[in-house]
C-alpha cells in the first residue's frame, strides 16, 4: 500500500527526533524513502513527458491575438490591420476561431475538470480527520502578475473600464485586442517616477478574489484556499495581502501604504487570536516578504524595532521563492523575449510580433519596475564566470556562467560573451536613462561579504530585496520553510545576436536559430521549476541562511523539494507537477502548508531531490 505523507507522519513515533535531510540519489530509485517511494510509483504510472507550455505572456497575447492575426492573414493572404479588430466582442472572437480548435479547447477543458477533481478539498479534509485545525492566522503574499489589477480612474479614457480588471480577467483580453493603445497606457507606470501616469489609476484587487483565479478556469491560489477552508480557515483567520506587482517595493509604501497596512493587519490578527502569524508567500511574494521584514524593523519606516518579527511571525513559508532572481527576467527587459516566445511555431510568432513586437514588449516590461526586482542577484559568485558555474554539469559544452553569448562573433567590441554581472551592466548601458535610473534607484544585485557591511545595509532600502546584502530579522523563534519544485528544465543562459535595424531601440535579441551546444532556439536550460533556477530558489535555504552573517539570530530553515513529474493527461500537470505556478495546486504542497499553519511543521522531514547542496558548496561565498 502506498502511504500519503500524512499517513507516514502518523506512523512515525512522536518521540522520534527530527531527521537529517533526505537527499535523493538521482541515479538510483531503490534507495528512496518517504516521498520518493510515492513519486517513483507515480513515475511508472505516468511517464515523464516534457511539454512546452506557454506562460501568461504567450497565453494572453500570442494565444488569442496571434491566432486572430495569423489566421486571418492566412485566409486573406494580406496583412490584417488592427483597426479591423476594434469592434470585436468576445463572441465574435469565438466565431472566427476554427471549429477544430474550439473542440480541442473544449476537450482540454473537460480533461482538466476530470483531472483536478482529485484534489478539491480532499487534502484539507483528510488532515481535518487527522485532527488538524485552525491555529496560526494566515497571511498570503502572492507572486508577480497573479494579482488582478482594476481601473479606478475617472478620466475620459478610463471611464469605460471603471472597476474592470485590466489585468487578470477576460476584460483584460478584450481590452488588449479591441483597445490596445489604451490598455498599454493603463498598464504601464510613469517611466520617470514609477507611479500612476496622469489621469490613470490602476489598483490591486482586494480579497481572495484578487488571486484565486487569473481568468475564469485558470486557478492560482484557489486550491490552497479550498484546503485552508477544509480545516476551518475563513476570512477571519486568513487574509490575502494582494499588491500592485508593477510597483517598485519602496513605491508600494509611497503610493499604497502597502507595508503599513500589512503590518497593521498582522498586529490585529495577532492581538485577536493570541497567536503569531504564518506568512505564506509565492514567487515574487517571497521577495516582498523579505523586504517587509527589513522595512518593519527599520527606524523611520515600519518603526517596529528589532523584536517585531519575532513577536508577530511564527513562520515564513517560502513557496518557489525567486530569492536571487530569475535569469529569464533579463531577456524580458532587454529584448521583450523569453523561452516561451522564441520557441513558438512560426505562425504564432508572426501573430505575436505583429500584435506586440519585441520592442514594445520590452518597453512595457521596463515600465513595470516591480518586475525588475526579479533580475538575478549575487553576481558572478552565484551565477558563475565565462568558463565555470556552480551548476555546470560534467562534459557541458559551454558554461552556464556565460549568461549572454554570441554564436558568431564579429569585430564590434560589444560582441563578447558576458557573465551575469556584465549582462546587467550591458542592460544599463543599452537602456533609456529613465529605466536605468529606476533600476539603480530601487535595487541592488551584489553580495555583502562582511558582517559590518550587512549592518550598514540595514539603513539602505535598495539593499533590502537582496538576501545576500541584508540579513534575516532577529527572530530566533521564527521558522522558515522553503518549498519549491525541481526537475523541470529552466532558462539559464542565452545565445544572442546584434540587432542591425537602425530604427530599433533594441541592441540584441535571442538568436533563435541556434539549436546546438545545449541550446534550444537560443535558450540553454538548467535545473529549476521551469521559471526559477535552482540556485535562486535553493541557495539561500540550503547554505546562505545557514551563515551567521545572513542569519545572526539562527532562524531555523527547513527545505522540502518537490520533484516535477507531470501527468501527461492534465494540462496543468496533475497532482505531481512542480511547475512554478501549477505547484500551488499540488496536494503534497497543500499538505505541507496546512501542517505548518496548523502548528505541525515540526513533523516535516527536510527532503532534497536536486544537487543543490553540491552546487551551494561550490559558490565562493564564505562566512566571516
Amino acid at each position: 500500500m502506498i502511504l500519503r505523507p500524512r499517513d507516514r507522519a502518523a506512523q512515525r513515533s512522536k518521540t522520534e527526533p527530527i531527521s537529517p535531510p533526505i537527499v535523493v540519489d538521482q541515479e538510483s530509485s531503490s534507495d528512496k524513502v518517504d516521498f520518493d517511494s510515492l513519486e517513483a510509483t507515480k513515475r511508472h504510472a505516468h511517464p515523464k513527458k516534457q511539454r512546452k507550455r506557454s506562460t501568461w505572456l504567450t497565453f494572453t497575447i500570442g494565444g488569442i491575438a496571434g491566432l486572430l492575426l495569423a489566421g486571418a492573414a492566412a485566409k486573406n493572404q494580406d496583412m490584417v490591420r488592427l483597426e479591423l479588430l476594434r469592434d470585436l466582442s468576445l463572441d465574435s472572437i469565438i466565431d472566427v476561431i476554427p471549429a477544430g480548435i474550439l473542440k480541442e479547447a473544449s476537450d482540454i477543458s473537460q480533461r482538466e475538470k476530470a483531472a483536478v477533481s482529485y484534489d478539491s478539498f480532499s487534502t484539507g479534509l483528510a488532515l481535518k480527520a487527522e485532527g488538524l485545525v485552525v491555529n496560526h492566522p494566515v497571511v498570503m503574499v502572492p507572486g508577480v502578475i497573479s494579482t488582478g489589477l482594476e481601473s479606478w480612474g475617472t478620466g475620459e479614457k478610463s471611464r469605460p473600464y471603471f472597476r474592470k480588471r485590466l489585468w487578470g480577467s477576460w476584460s483584460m483580453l478584450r481590452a488588449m485586442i479591441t483597445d490596445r493603445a489604451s490598455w498599454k497606457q493603463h498598464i504601464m507606470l510613469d517611466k520617470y517616477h514609477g507611479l500612476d501616469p496622469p489621469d490613470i489609476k490602476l489598483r490591486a484587487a482586494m480579497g481572495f478574489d484578487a488571486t484565486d483565479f487569473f481568468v475564469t478556469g485558470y486557478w492560482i491560489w484557489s486550491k490552497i484556499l479550498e484546503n485552508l477552508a477544509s480545516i476551518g480557515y475563513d476570512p477571519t483567520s486568513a487574509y490575502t495581502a494582494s499588491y500592485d506587482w508593477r510597483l517598485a517595493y519602496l513605491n508600494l509604501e509611497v503610493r499604497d501604504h502597502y507595508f503599513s497596512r500589512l503590518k497593521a493587519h498582522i498586529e490585529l490578527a495577532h492581538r485577536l487570536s493570541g497567536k503569531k502569524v504564518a506568512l505564506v508567500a509565492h514567487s515574487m511574494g517571497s521577495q516582498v516578504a523579505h523586504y517587509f521584514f527589513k522595512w518593519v524593523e527599520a527606524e523611520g519606516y515600519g518603526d517596529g524595532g528589532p523584536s517585531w518579527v519575532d513577536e508577530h511571525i511564527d513562520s515564513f513559508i517560502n513557496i518557489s521563492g525567486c530569492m536571487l532572481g530569475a535569469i529569464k527576467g533579463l531577456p524580458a527587459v532587454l529584448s521583450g523575449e523569453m523561452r516561451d516566445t522564441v520557441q513558438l511555431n512560426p505562425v504564432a510568432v508572426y501573430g505575436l510580433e505583429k500584435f506586440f513586437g519585441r520592442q514594445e514588449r520590452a518597453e512595457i516590461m521596463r515600465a513595470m519596475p516591480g518586475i525588475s526586482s526579479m533580475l538575478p542577484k549575487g553576481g558572478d559568485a552565484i551565477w558563475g564566470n565565462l568558463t565555470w558555474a556552480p551548476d555546470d554539469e560534467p562534459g557541458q559544452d559551454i558554461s552556464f556562467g556565460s549568461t549572454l553569448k554570441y554564436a558568431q562573433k564579429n569585430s564590434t567590441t560589444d560582441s563578447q560573451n558576458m557573465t551575469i554581472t556584465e549582462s546587467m551592466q550591458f542592460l544599463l548601458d543599452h537602456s533609456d536613462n529613465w529605466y536605468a535610473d529606476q533600476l539603480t534607484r530601487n535595487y541592488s544585485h551584489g553580495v555583502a561579504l562582511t558582517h559590518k557591511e550587512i549592518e550598514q545595509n540595514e539603513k539602505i532600502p535598495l539593499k533590502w530585496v537582496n538576501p545576500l546584502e541584508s540579513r534575516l530579522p532577529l527572530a530566533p523563534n521564527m521558522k522558515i520553510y522553503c518549498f519549491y519544485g525541481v526537475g523541470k528544465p529552466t532558462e539559464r543562459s542565452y545565445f544572442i545576436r546584434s540587432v542591425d535595424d537602425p530604427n530599433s531601440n533594441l541592441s540584441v535579441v535571442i538568436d533563435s536559430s541556434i539549436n546546438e551546444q545545449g541550446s534550444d532556439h537560443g535558450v540553454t536550460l538548467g535545473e529549476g521549476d521551469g521559471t526559477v533556477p535552482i540556485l535562486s530558489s535553493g541557495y539561500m535555504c540550503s547554505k546562505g541562511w545557514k551563515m551567521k552573517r545572513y542569519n545572526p539570530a539562527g532562524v531555523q530553515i527547513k527545505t522540502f523539494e518537490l520533484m516535477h513529474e507531470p501527468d501527461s493527461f492534465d494540462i496543468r500537470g496533475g497532482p505531481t507537477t512542480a511547475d512554478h505556478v501549477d505547484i500551488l495546486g499540488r496536494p503534497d504542497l497543500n499538505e505541507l502548508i496546512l501542517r505548518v499553519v496548523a502548528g505541525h511543521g515540526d513533523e516535516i522531514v527536510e527532503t532534497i531531490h536536486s544537487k543543490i547542496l553540491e552546487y551551494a558548496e561550490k559558490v565562493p561565498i564564505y562566512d566571516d
Side-chain angles (χ1 to χ4, degrees), residues 293-314:
F293 291 152
K294 309 311 301 171
W295 177 92
V296 76
E297 290 181 329
E299 183 178 356
Y301 293 89
D303 288 322
S307 64
W308 189 94
V309 174
D310 199 44
E311 293 169 355
H312 292 87
I313 305 295
D314 172 80

Side-chain angles (χ1 to χ4, degrees), residues 185-250:
Q185 287 179 329
H186 280 76
I187 206 69
M188 292 172 60
L189 294 169
D190 182 273
K191 294 179 177 178
Y192 295 95
H193 53 63
L195 298 170
D196 294 325
D199 300 322
I200 288 176
K201 183 187 286 188
L202 254 60
R203 293 294 182 266
M206 295 288 109
F208 299 134
D209 287 347
T211 60
D212 55 353
F213 290 88
F214 181 70
V215 293
T216 303
Y218 192 93
W219 50 262
I220 302 179
W221 282 80
S222 67
K223 305 299 179 185
I224 292 175
L225 293 173
E226 289 168 358
N227 285 299
L228 284 172
S230 296
I231 64 169
Y233 280 91
D234 59 33
T236 66
S237 51
Y239 170 73
T240 296
S242 55
Y243 58 95
D244 187 342
W245 42 267
R246 302 172 303 156
L247 290 167
Y249 293 3
L250 197 58

Side-chain angles (χ1 to χ4, degrees), residues 356-514:
F356 272 121
R358 284 183 291 235
Q359 185 170 312
E360 194 169 19
R361 297 198 303 268
E363 179 190 17
I364 293 173
M365 292 286 191
R366 295 178 187 182
M368 300 176 177
I371 287 180
S372 293
S373 71
M374 295 184 294
L375 287 170
K377 302 170 184 64
D380 297 353
I382 293 292
W383 304 103
N385 55 42
L386 292 179
T387 59
W388 171 89
D391 53 338
D392 281 347
E393 293 297 330
Q396 190 168 313
D397 291 336
I398 301 178
S399 172
F400 285 139
S402 186
T403 306
L404 299 180
K405 44 193 172 287
Y406 294 86
Q408 297 179 344
K409 295 184 178 182
N410 55 39
S411 60
T412 64
T413 56
D414 284 342
S415 297
Q416 303 296 323
N417 295 345
M418 292 173 271
T419 66
I420 194 63
T421 300
E422 294 164 339
S423 299
M424 292 293 291
Q425 188 60 50
F426 182 87
L427 172 64
L428 291 173
D429 293 343
H430 293 80
S431 300
D432 292 326
N433 290 336
W434 62 265
Y435 176 69
D437 179 64
Q438 286 277 3
L439 195 57
T440 55
R441 178 160 28 105
N442 289 295
Y443 306 116
S444 181
H445 303 88
V447 179
L449 296 176
T450 66
H451 173 77
K452 180 180 179 181
E453 187 178 355
I454 283 286
E455 292 306 313
Q456 290 173 339
N457 290 346
E458 290 293 291
K459 299 179 180 180
I460 307 175
L462 66 86
K463 304 285 187 179
W464 294 347
V465 73
N466 184 353
L468 287 171
E469 294 188 285
S470 56
R471 60 166 172 77
L472 287 174
L474 302 177
N477 297 300
M478 183 178 76
K479 299 170 285 295
I480 295 178
Y481 297 88
C482 300
F483 303 147
Y484 58 86
V486 295
K488 183 172 185 179
T490 304
E491 291 169 59
R492 187 60 177 84
S493 63
Y494 305 88
F495 283 95
I496 58 174
R497 60 177 176 82
S498 298
V499 175
D500 299 325
D501 184 359
N503 297 318
S504 175
N505 288 333
L506 302 179
S507 299
V508 296
V509 295
I510 295 175
D511 191 346
S512 59
S513 68
I514 307 301

